[in-house]
Amino acid sequence: ETGVTQTPRHLVMGMTNKKSLKCEQHLGHNAMYWYKQSAKKPLELMFVYSLEERVENNSVPSRFSPECPNSSHLFLHLHTLQPEDSALYLCASSRGKTGQGSPLHFGNGTRLTVT
Amino acid sequence: QKEVEQNSGPLSVPEGAIASLNCTYSDRGSQSFFWYRQYSGKSPELIMFIYSNGDKEDGRFTAQLNKASQYVSLLIRDSQPSDSATYLCAVTTERGAGKSTFGDGTTLTVKP
């Protein structure tokens, strides 16, 4: 398998559920990211994990919890979400901030619906 | 003021025409600029990146950067119906794309 793989593709969960999104990259990159894409809003960076740093967007609620066990895997743990958290969650990887012009490679995303 | 602003869409052009997509940014420390294309229901994919003032051409696509005016654009020559998508401008203060700030996107429709 090549590229960035996300599972599941679709997820419907109640506000009291706990679920996790999984991302795996096969590109040999050293940085991984979670982005949120909501309707009518620009892509929003949630978390960054790389060899150089871990960055969290302080505006992301604590009901979203990232985990990065190694450079190829990234998880987003979800608990007690709200309906407004319904969105497309995109995982991405790159060669990191020092690679000139190194773009983001996105996975296919997880479409999350919170009921 | 938004950090990254793109021309409001939707933009509609006839097949074979030139489509012009514009983007302005507020952070003068921005170093790298990316254009991504996102088809409906799909994830964004890189079209081009640019980091030096001037033009950069790749096939039918030309990216233009003017750091003094804080402006980056994407021109698509000989537009095809398959170019119909949302185009996202992304800006970062780093050399690589990681912590990019995205614009809202411009939806382009190329009519046969």
Side-chain angles (χ1 to χ4, degrees):
Chain A
E1 231 179 315
T2 59
V4 181
T5 305
Q6 285 186 248
T7 55
R9 290 295 306 276
H10 301 272
L11 178 61
V12 179
M13 59 186 289
M15 289 190 284
T16 59
N17 291 158
K18 290 184 181 181
K19 296 286 184 182
S20 296
L21 309 185
K22 179 183 176 182
C23 178
E24 184 174 0
Q25 62 97 0
H26 306 271
L27 299 168
H29 289 161
N30 59 15
M32 297 186 75
Y33 315 83
W34 282 114
Y35 276 87
K36 177 183 179 182
Q37 189 171 38
S38 303
K40 309 293 184 184
K41 290 184 179 180
L43 273 164
E44 176 189 359
L45 178 64
M46 301 177 72
F47 303 103
V48 179
Y49 277 87
S50 73
L51 293 177
E52 299 133 332
E53 61 184 344
R54 168 183 165 169
V55 176
E56 299 188 13
N57 183 338
N58 291 329
S59 68
V60 176
S62 60
R63 54 186 183 267
F64 294 91
S65 175
E67 178 189 359
C68 189
N70 55 58
S71 61
S72 298
H73 294 85
L74 185 65
F75 296 89
L76 187 63
H77 303 300
L78 317 171
H79 63 97
T80 60
L81 294 190
Q82 303 298 310
E84 60 264 29
D85 296 322
S86 299
L88 180 67
Y89 289 84
L90 289 163
C91 175
S93 69
S94 79
R95 286 190 280 120
K97 64 179 181 179
T98 58
Q100 181 73 69
S102 171
L104 292 167
H105 295 257
F106 289 92
N108 287 325
T110 294
R111 174 68 63 185
L112 173 66
T113 302
V114 181
T115 61
Chain B
Q1 183 189 7
K2 292 181 180 178
E3 292 183 61
V4 179
E5 291 206 55
Q6 297 186 235
N7 47 333
S8 58
L11 177 65
S12 181
V13 300
E15 184 174 356
I18 296 175
S20 177
L21 304 164
N22 304 315
C23 175
T24 57
Y25 59 94
S26 60
D27 190 339
R28 285 197 169 274
S30 298
Q31 286 197 55
S32 301
F33 308 85
F34 300 81
W35 283 100
Y36 294 88
R37 176 177 63 199
Q38 187 173 24
Y39 291 114
S40 180
K42 302 291 185 181
S43 57
E45 56 180 350
L46 179 72
I47 297 293
M48 292 189 71
F49 73 89
I50 187 169
Y51 55 89
S52 298
N53 274 329
D55 294 359
K56 179 180 180 181
E57 187 174 319
D58 184 1
R60 297 186 295 112
F61 299 92
T62 299
Q64 300 174 316
L65 175 61
N66 184 324
K67 289 186 177 180
S69 301
Q70 295 176 242
Y71 172 90
V72 58
S73 67
L74 180 69
L75 299 178
I76 306 175
R77 292 182 300 281
D78 187 24
S79 296
Q80 301 297 309
S82 59
D83 294 326
S84 298
T86 296
Y87 289 80
L88 305 173
C89 173
V91 177
T92 177
T93 56
E94 299 172 342
R95 293 164 59 86
K99 289 184 284 183
S100 292
T101 300
F102 283 81
D104 290 344
T106 300
T107 298
L108 170 68
T109 301
V110 180
K111 296 186 175 180

